[in-house]
Amino acid sequence: MSLPIYAAPLEGVTDAVFRRVHSAHFSGVAKYFIPFISPTQNLCLTSRDLSAVAPEQNAGLYAVPQVLTRNADHFLWAARTLFDLGYGEINLNAGCPSGTVTAKGKGAGMLAGVSTLAFFLDDIYAKAPLKVSIKTRIGYTSTEEFGRILELYGRYPVHELIIHPRTRGEFYKGKPHRDIYAQALKDTSLPLVYNGDLFTASDCRAFETAFPGTRALMTGRGLIANPALAQEYEGAEPLSREALRAFVEDLLRAYLERYPAHVAVGRMREVMKHVTCCFEDASKVAKAIRKADKLPAYTDAVARLFDSCVLRAQPGFVPEA
Ligand SMILES: Cc1cc2nc3c(=O)[nH]c(=O)nc-3n(C[C@H](O)[C@H](O)[C@H](O)COP(=O)(O)O)c2cc1C
């Protein structure tokens, strides 16, 4: 039996349009995590937030909104608002490594002060009206911080603890510390979800075998590169060139319905940066797609990709060397 696959939130990529078109074309994703919303003093959902979390934007799929804040009152306001919109589960972002975020003590910046984090968690777990999961890194500067952080999480009814086993300083570089994840499986009774460098269906199978006790797997870049990853892992159709082409064409159409052409092309370039990894010898055409700033240049380059490049045997994301 395979584990549930969760789609990771990627700000600027896995927006509501992506989620809707993805779920119409491919199966296998148990939960789609929505990139973070970040409540401010005004305590209102911006139109950008609403385009992400409004229930009609996520109709027919299990979506989990994510909140980025260090302020417990702001978190609880967001929790109540999302509960009123019909959500039963939200996620706390304790992993974003961006300097502008961590400088304010948010995202992975929360991990730099465990006692402050404890006050925050005391408050939100006492008062939140719905299930709260946490997506966390394993430390701010050092992996050695994780023992204390995990012990802290263990004091709360964390719905699911999603671990991306890198420190803040590591961003997405190097290999995730799977030894620390393995230790966490031993040290906590919280339900653990693993996230990090699961780029193909066979990566997921190998992980599932190596780390029994894992509740679910979360994949980000892998699922964007190979949108059939989750269904293939579950034993359904692997990726075909035709299915991939139909998906990226539909996605472009959906963006063009919502945005001016240059914005739609910008969104597609982000997706295609990942998708081109699935093809053999595609570096030239990948560069043409990256540089395409007008619709005709973009569609020409994508047509070249599908007409002249071969899908790799194990299509998935390939990180830069
Ligand atoms: C461009 C980009 C945007 C991201 N946005 C978010 C976000 O909004 N919230 C979050 O928790 N993680 C975010 N992440 C992290 C991913 O959810 C995920 O943890 C990361 O890509 C590692 O998983 P992967 O190896 O499966 O891609 C982002 C990552 C990237 C590269």
Side-chain angles (χ1 to χ4, degrees):
M1 252 258 309
S2 46
L3 296 171
I5 296 279
Y6 298 169
L10 270 81
E11 220 256 312
V13 190
T14 62
D15 58 13
V17 173
F18 181 92
R19 294 191 294 276
R20 184 158 39 78
V21 177
H22 182 270
S23 66
H25 281 254
F26 300 100
S27 62
V29 172
K31 297 182 182 181
Y32 286 88
F33 284 71
I34 303 176
F36 64 79
I37 62 168
S38 189
T40 55
Q41 299 295 357
N42 308 335
L43 297 186
C44 68
L45 289 176
T46 62
S47 57
R48 192 160 174 268
D49 293 342
L50 270 172
S51 72
V53 301
E56 61 273 21
Q57 299 290 348
N58 298 293
L61 45 94
Y62 192 106
V64 181
Q66 184 186 62
V67 181
L68 176 83
T69 182
R70 60 179 289 196
N71 180 311
D73 291 336
H74 292 181
F75 185 94
L76 287 165
W77 169 81
R80 286 181 200 114
T81 305
L82 291 162
F83 178 73
D84 289 344
L85 286 174
Y87 288 98
E89 173 184 351
I90 59 171
N91 179 259
L92 169 69
N93 181 322
C96 180
S98 149
T100 49
V101 167
T102 56
K104 294 179 199 144
K106 300 194 265 187
M110 296 188 112
L111 308 177
V114 175
S115 41
T116 315
L117 179 58
F119 284 121
F120 176 89
L121 296 175
D122 280 347
D123 235 13
I124 68 165
Y125 277 101
K127 298 177 193 154
L130 36 52
K131 293 182 254 183
V132 179
S133 64
I134 301 177
K135 183 162 178 281
T136 189
R137 285 187 179 246
I138 53 169
Y140 191 73
T141 49
S142 159
T143 59
E144 284 169 23
E145 296 161 33
F146 197 55
R148 267 186 81 202
I149 295 169
L150 185 64
E151 189 275 317
L152 176 67
Y153 290 148
R155 294 185 213 158
Y156 305 95
V158 177
H159 174 57
E160 290 178 328
L161 182 65
I162 304 161
I163 300 181
H164 178 72
R166 287 187 172 98
T167 62
R168 181 264 164 176
E170 290 171 333
F171 285 77
Y172 299 104
K173 293 189 294 277
K175 293 249 176 285
H177 300 274
R178 291 190 176 170
D179 54 328
I180 306 265
Y181 177 79
Q183 190 59 43
L185 279 170
K186 292 190 188 124
D187 290 348
T188 185
S189 55
L190 291 176
L192 296 189
V193 177
Y194 175 83
N195 167 243
D197 294 22
L198 297 173
F199 293 148
T200 62
S202 56
D203 286 349
C204 295
R205 271 182 232 114
F207 189 91
E208 171 202 329
T209 310
F211 299 93
T214 297
R215 155 80 67 103
L217 305 175
M218 173 182 268
T219 163
R221 295 165 293 175
L223 188 74
I224 300 165
N226 175 353
L229 187 158
Q231 71 178 36
E232 182 187 343
Y233 166 70
E234 281 196 338
E237 285 282 284
L239 189 67
S240 70
R241 182 209 290 265
E242 296 69 36
L244 184 56
R245 188 169 201 162
F247 170 65
V248 300
E249 288 178 357
D250 235 10
L251 192 58
L252 173 64
R253 258 193 300 278
Y255 280 129
L256 286 169
E257 275 167 22
R258 181 177 281 212
Y259 299 118
H262 70 281
V263 178
V265 169
R267 307 299 287 198
M268 287 309 300
R269 278 201 309 262
E270 279 308 306
V271 173
M272 294 306 293
K273 208 163 73 183
H274 298 77
V275 167
T276 48
C277 297
C278 291
F279 291 85
E280 306 266 13
D281 302 322
S283 58
K284 252 190 172 161
V285 68
K287 188 170 174 198
I289 296 172
R290 265 201 318 276
K291 288 177 67 179
D293 57 354
K294 299 242 164 50
L295 188 55
Y298 168 82
T299 49
D300 276 6
V302 171
R304 262 202 287 146
L305 176 74
F306 283 102
D307 293 339
S308 63
C309 297
V310 176
L311 212 54
R312 291 196 291 121
Q314 295 267 345
F317 182 72
V318 181
E320 275 172 30

